[in-house]
Amino acid sequence: MSPLTVLVLLIKAVSFAVLGCIAYLVINPVNRWKYRHIPGPCYRAIFGNLPEFRKYGSHEFMVACRAKYGPVFKLWFGHRVWVVVCDPDLGKRVNYKCLNRPQIGDALIRGPVTRPENKGLFFTRDDVWRMVHRVWQPAFYADSVHACAPLMSDTSRRLVTRLQGLAGEGRPVDLWREVGNLTMAIVGTAAYGIDFHTFDADSATQQQPAASSTSVKLPLAAAVAAAAAAGAPSKAAQAAAAASHLPRSMHSGLAAAHVDVGQRAVGAQLVSSAQTLFASMGGTSGSIYQMAALLLPDSCRPLVAWAAHTFPDARFTAVMNARATVSSASMQLVQQFKQRQQQQEDASASGDAGLGGNAAPGGSGRVSRSGGAIAPGSFLGLLLAARGGTDGHGLSDLQMIMQANTFTLAGYETTANALAFSLWCISTHPEAEARLLQEAAAAAQPFHAYSRDMEQQFPYTCAVVSEALRLYPPGATTIREVPPAGRPLQLGGYAVAPGSSVFVASYVMQRDPELWPRAGEFLPERWLPGNEHLAAKNAAAYLPFGSGARMCIGYRFALQEVRLGLLELLSQFHFEVQWELMVPPPPQPHQQQQQQQGVEGGAEAGDKQQQQQQQRGSRALRTANGFTLSPVGGIWVKLEPRVPEVQPAV
Ligand code: HEM
């Protein structure tokens, strides 16, 4: 056969494969047949419902679908199907019956981190999950969490000091960003006993958004440049990587994004990396390669991954840099921790009591347990002390790094969003603010002294947080996979096939007017005794932390952090929302339907809200489509320091 004939044949084969692929995606026969019995919007070739997700936001679109198709429906994520559940009892059934989550978000990642035993707790499965979950648990026992309370309050007061400085300058401040610095700082001290310097590093990079911008502002370029400048070919990073027996494939990436956990810039780098990673997981705002991996059949993924790594675009580079930055920080934390522990062991063997462990505020470095609880700063010690790893000899370095990555990311993002949403709700409801301040002013001791009985001492503050988590749940859906080897899962009369991805739509249920009286209103009172008429008609309709075995392991930690942060910040400042800087909300597909249905309190509440919004310049809070629910473009406020009489007792 002549070379020309081979070439022609090759071109024909490739054209045939491409056309076949397009025809398959346009018709999508397998999934359309497999899920034909479940209601939902029609399949639209190749993109499915992604255009609607972009236009309305995925959660708002789900609200509209719930109204149209009932409590169980399907959505098209490209050619893939999500089964969405919006009924409390069915949601509970899903969360309790299915243990694993589908492996989303790592289609383009290569190397050993994709192996099941090397996942962080969130994405581990089956027996590996059981083992890793057991290792994590003591960090979140009630006593461990209470031990972190003074640290959480102290760190909140460091933010207060920073905000006092900014208030003097008189310019608007992005509260979301500021509380992000706070939660990352608390991760550093509470988990690792390290000061990440989040309050020092980024004051110069605070930017004001254009009012019309819909993208989240990230100081990414600065962070990446700083990371590269800090250690591109850093010998320290390479030595650390080599010493930790990490797979070679991780070395170059980590060295390129080397950060120094002892340096001032690390906090800002971690915060911006975490923001990049969460924003990229939304599915509709990633790089072209992420979009291609999402839209093309699974069999094309290796090819897409190869192309992404060989010819990366700017967004893919940003995501890979962000992953490497977080992993580099975790790797150093692990290495430093091991070195310190070795020094302590050597010192105690030689009778020298002078080495005091971590230089952490409150951190001991060792896993000092009392009654099962661990001291602040000892999360790594917990991981290191773990026995019963997959090889029977504890967690490997890579497994430890992946757990540290998970703690850093999960501990930062959702809690920052929860605190930002709580502050937003309070700042737009003066009557609630007054009541919370009254409660704060009545405290006879520092707020953290009440960490064991926050609900008795600060019932209204706790109610504010619960209500903010109802309206704005940072984890807006829980995700499960129907066991691939089992039988179909019966959900409200529909058999959902093994291996399907099921989303329990917390956001939709927590705003459902059939489940909550005056669902659209911010009413902290509904969480107080005597207001049962405002409570949920089904307790399972409230799941900001999920439910079942895979519910949020950090919920106690997060609630304590948000409640203390709220008290510390609000007792010092009133936050005046700068409406002209806020990103306007998109059109709401369900508003018209809700009004037509005349749901209980809906019309009245709708009118009232509309009036209030008009008074405030017709702006509501726009939330992002990402992996978590977050405010788009931040929450812009002017800081108004309070008069002294409402300051907390010290
Ligand atoms: C207000 C803050 C937080 C919210 C709203 C939140 C929400 C959630 C939700 C909805 C889930 C999924 C639950 C499910 O699928 O049933 C989850 C899981 C998880 N969360 Fe949180 N979370 C918060 C704070 C934290 C913190 C501070 C940590 C600590 C590091 C953390 C670590 C995790 C982990 C590791 C998982 C996976 C647990 C597992 O699969 O076993 N979260 N969280």
Side-chain angles (χ1 to χ4, degrees):
M1 226 186 292
S2 75
L4 190 66
T5 322
V6 173
L7 189 68
V8 170
L9 278 179
L10 203 68
I11 291 172
K12 278 187 181 168
V14 170
S15 314
F16 188 72
V18 170
L19 284 177
C21 196
I22 292 172
Y24 178 83
L25 289 175
V26 170
I27 303 169
N28 197 9
V30 175
N31 280 343
R32 284 172 75 185
W33 177 255
K34 196 165 153 190
Y35 296 95
R36 68 194 177 285
H37 57 300
I38 301 179
C42 294
Y43 174 67
R44 286 211 270 137
I46 302 179
F47 294 102
N49 297 121
L50 291 177
E52 285 93 341
F53 289 2
R54 259 181 190 271
K55 185 168 175 196
Y56 304 117
S58 51
H59 305 300
E60 287 303 331
F61 185 59
M62 285 186 207
V63 170
C65 289
R66 190 309 171 212
K68 188 162 178 191
Y69 303 108
V72 179
F73 54 90
K74 64 173 179 262
L75 290 180
W76 296 98
F77 205 62
H79 67 283
R80 297 182 174 80
V81 171
W82 290 355
V83 177
V84 182
V85 174
C86 305
D87 173 86
D89 295 318
L90 296 179
K92 201 167 158 184
R93 188 175 161 79
V94 172
N95 280 349
Y96 281 78
K97 283 226 162 212
C98 308
L99 182 68
N100 295 326
R101 301 194 170 93
Q103 301 299 295
I104 51 178
D106 64 354
L108 302 180
I109 307 303
R110 299 189 297 190
V113 289
T114 57
R115 286 210 291 269
E117 69 274 18
N118 292 333
K119 302 273 181 191
L121 179 58
F122 195 88
F123 284 117
T124 47
R125 296 165 77 85
D126 301 314
D127 285 345
V128 182
W129 171 75
R130 288 186 189 89
M131 181 273 287
V132 176
H133 191 262
R134 256 198 314 276
V135 173
W136 275 61
Q137 238 168 358
F140 298 100
Y141 289 162
D143 284 345
S144 310
V145 173
H146 293 314
C148 295
L151 217 145
M152 290 175 177
S153 273
D154 282 357
T155 315
S156 304
R157 283 198 290 270
R158 286 178 61 203
L159 175 58
V160 165
T161 308
R162 175 178 150 81
L163 294 183
Q164 276 161 346
L166 293 177
E169 295 171 21
R171 62 188 165 106
V173 162
D174 179 1
L175 255 190
W176 179 52
R177 194 179 158 74
E178 294 297 337
V179 300
N181 289 337
L182 170 64
T183 58
M184 187 59 90
I186 290 176
V187 165
T189 51
Y192 310 120
I194 291 278
D195 185 351
F196 280 157
H197 298 287
T198 57
F199 301 123
D200 311 335
D202 81 331
S203 53
T205 59
Q206 178 85 249
Q207 295 169 20
Q208 285 187 26
S212 60
S213 164
T214 54
S215 63
V216 183
K217 296 279 167 194
L218 304 173
L220 182 71
V224 170
S234 160
K235 284 192 178 127
Q238 283 162 355
S244 70
H245 308 295
L246 283 173
R248 286 193 65 77
S249 55
M250 281 188 84
H251 293 190
S252 56
L254 293 185
H258 172 63
V259 292
D260 186 338
V261 292
Q263 280 186 355
R264 290 167 72 85
V266 67
Q269 288 171 22
L270 284 176
V271 166
S272 74
S273 299
Q275 287 181 345
T276 304
L277 289 175
F278 277 98
S280 77
M281 282 193 264
T284 55
S285 57
S287 80
I288 48 161
Y289 295 111
Q290 283 173 299
M291 194 47 89
L294 177 73
L295 296 179
L296 294 175
D298 290 352
S299 50
C300 299
R301 281 185 173 181
L303 187 66
V304 179
W306 171 83
H309 287 270
T310 314
F311 312 106
D313 65 350
R315 287 189 174 182
F316 186 69
T317 306
V319 170
M320 293 312 285
N321 278 338
R323 284 180 74 99
T325 299
V326 176
S327 294
S328 167
S330 299
M331 185 179 73
Q332 282 181 65
L333 288 166
V334 169
Q335 288 303 317
Q336 288 181 5
F337 185 85
K338 281 177 147 183
Q339 278 168 9
R340 249 194 323 267
Q341 208 186 36
Q342 190 58 51
Q343 284 167 358
Q344 282 172 359
E345 274 163 22
D346 294 348
S348 59
S350 64
D352 179 359
L355 278 166
N358 275 343
S364 78
R366 286 175 169 279
V367 196
S368 46
R369 293 175 186 242
S370 69
I374 66 158
S378 2
F379 179 66
L380 293 173
L382 201 61
L383 299 183
L384 200 62
R387 288 291 173 261
T390 42
D391 58 359
H393 296 291
L395 299 180
S396 68
D397 280 1
L398 180 56
Q399 284 172 318
M400 284 181 69
I401 287 168
M402 297 310 281
Q403 304 316 317
N405 283 357
T406 302
F407 197 120
T408 304
L409 294 173
Y412 152 75
E413 162 81 6
T414 43
T415 319
N417 293 346
L419 181 51
F421 287 135
S422 303
L423 288 166
W424 160 266
C425 289
I426 280 289
S427 306
T428 49
H429 293 83
E431 59 302 335
E433 182 176 14
R435 199 164 164 187
L436 190 148
L437 282 176
Q438 233 176 11
E439 197 172 78
Q445 305 176 66
F447 299 131
H448 63 79
Y450 302 98
S451 67
R452 283 181 192 276
D453 53 1
M454 291 291 277
E455 275 157 27
Q456 281 72 44
Q457 190 63 34
F458 301 112
Y460 194 75
T461 308
C462 295
V464 164
V465 176
S466 302
E467 184 67 346
L469 285 173
R470 181 183 73 82
L471 285 172
Y472 298 104
T477 54
T478 65
I479 315 164
R480 295 289 188 281
E481 180 187 274
V482 180
R487 286 150 48 130
L489 182 69
Q490 295 297 329
L491 289 177
Y494 303 109
V496 180
S500 302
S501 298
V502 184
F503 286 64
V504 178
S506 330
Y507 180 93
V508 179
M509 284 194 280
Q510 292 181 183
R511 287 171 169 249
D512 186 343
E514 288 174 23
L515 295 169
W516 298 85
R518 298 165 67 184
E521 292 178 67
F522 174 72
L523 289 176
E525 291 72 21
R526 72 171 91 240
W527 301 95
L528 299 177
N531 289 316
E532 285 71 20
H533 61 289
L534 292 173
K537 294 174 184 163
N538 182 337
Y542 185 68
L543 64 167
F545 295 104
S547 60
R550 299 297 294 256
M551 89 169 270
C552 176
I553 198 168
Y555 81 95
R556 246 193 223 114
F557 185 94
L559 281 177
Q560 178 174 288
E561 187 177 344
V562 175
R563 290 164 177 173
L564 287 173
L566 200 60
L567 284 163
E568 297 286 358
L569 291 172
L570 280 171
S571 57
Q572 299 296 335
F573 296 102
H574 166 68
F575 300 108
E576 190 62 38
V577 175
Q578 301 300 290
W579 295 97
E580 68 284 2
L581 294 178
M582 303 290 294
V583 175
Q588 303 294 298
H590 64 287
Q591 262 170 2
Q592 214 184 344
Q593 276 161 347
Q594 266 190 359
Q595 276 165 12
Q596 281 165 2
Q597 282 170 359
V599 288
E600 190 185 344
E604 205 185 314
D607 289 350
K608 205 168 146 194
Q609 265 194 340
Q610 232 172 11
Q611 265 177 19
Q612 284 172 350
Q613 277 180 17
Q614 272 160 12
Q615 281 162 13
R616 294 171 188 146
S618 303
R619 296 281 171 85
L621 187 59
R622 177 159 185 177
T623 49
N625 257 336
F627 192 59
T628 57
L629 193 76
S630 58
V632 175
I635 295 180
W636 289 86
V637 297
K638 270 225 164 110
L639 303 162
E640 295 179 3
R642 290 195 192 280
V643 287
E645 62 262 21
V646 290
Q647 288 189 357
V650 182

